[in-house]
Amino acid sequence: FSKYISEKTKEGIKYGLSENQAERFTKFYGSNVDTLFQLASQYRMVANQYNLPIDVFVPLLYAIYFEMVVKQVDFFIRRTGALFFNIHWVYEWKDSVIEFMSIKLEWSKEQKAKYTTELDQALVEAVKPIEKLKKNATLA
């Protein structure tokens, strides 16, 4: 496995990724990493248009195209786990991710507002889970 990671990391560099980015993609996506490398090569300019670094944009695009992600909570919670393990990263990129997804997936203004509120609520609950537990306990 370490040989595979090393080889794919070198290959990812040829697609314009840093060594760190290529290695992280390889470890996270395994045998699907070639698809991410191709996306990185094809969509670098688009990522720049949306003010998203390639290591945020490519996993987002992959998640939309190949993992049925339709809302930003799908991406930040279900696909990356970032809301629970790297919440500052979510705060840093949420607005750009929302903007790209709203255009790419042709959300209405109402959908965009609803999905944004949903993510904001998830962010609150991630740092104040006890409040959610208390609320649920009073409903029971």
Side-chain angles (χ1 to χ4, degrees):
F1 185 66
S2 61
K3 182 179 177 183
Y4 176 80
I5 291 171
S6 177
E7 289 172 2
K8 286 297 181 180
T9 298
K10 290 175 188 171
E11 188 178 327
I13 293 168
K14 293 177 185 176
Y15 283 94
L17 297 169
S18 71
E19 181 177 353
N20 186 314
Q21 291 168 333
E23 183 177 333
R24 279 188 293 121
F25 283 2
T26 302
K27 287 179 177 179
F28 194 84
Y29 293 95
S31 63
N32 294 335
V33 74
D34 291 334
T35 303
L36 280 94
F37 291 165
Q38 290 170 353
L39 291 171
S41 176
Q42 283 181 284
Y43 292 99
R44 181 171 299 282
M45 298 306 289
V46 178
N48 291 336
Q49 291 172 355
Y50 288 95
N51 298 315
L52 286 164
I54 201 71
D55 57 341
V56 175
F57 186 76
V58 167
L60 175 60
L61 204 56
Y62 180 84
I64 292 169
Y65 287 157
F66 299 99
E67 298 178 320
M68 298 181 62
V69 164
V70 295
K71 301 187 293 186
Q72 63 271 29
V73 293
D74 296 335
F75 178 67
F76 286 123
I77 297 173
R78 295 171 189 87
R79 300 316 312 149
T80 64
L83 188 125
F84 301 117
F85 301 106
N86 194 358
I87 197 166
H88 298 291
W89 185 81
V90 177
Y91 278 113
E92 182 176 3
W93 299 114
K94 75 178 192 126
D95 293 334
S96 296
V97 166
I98 290 167
E99 188 59 29
F100 173 75
M101 291 184 77
S102 70
I103 293 167
K104 179 71 177 170
L105 300 173
E106 299 178 351
W107 293 342
S108 67
K109 288 181 183 180
E110 293 79 15
Q111 285 175 304
K112 185 176 180 180
K114 178 182 175 185
Y115 298 157
T116 300
T117 299
E118 183 180 2
L119 178 59
D120 289 341
Q121 183 62 37
L123 285 162
V124 168
E125 291 172 1
V127 294
K128 295 185 180 183
I130 195 69
E131 299 301 320
K132 184 177 179 181
L133 290 173
K134 288 178 184 178
K135 181 179 177 182
N136 289 340
T138 60
L139 296 175

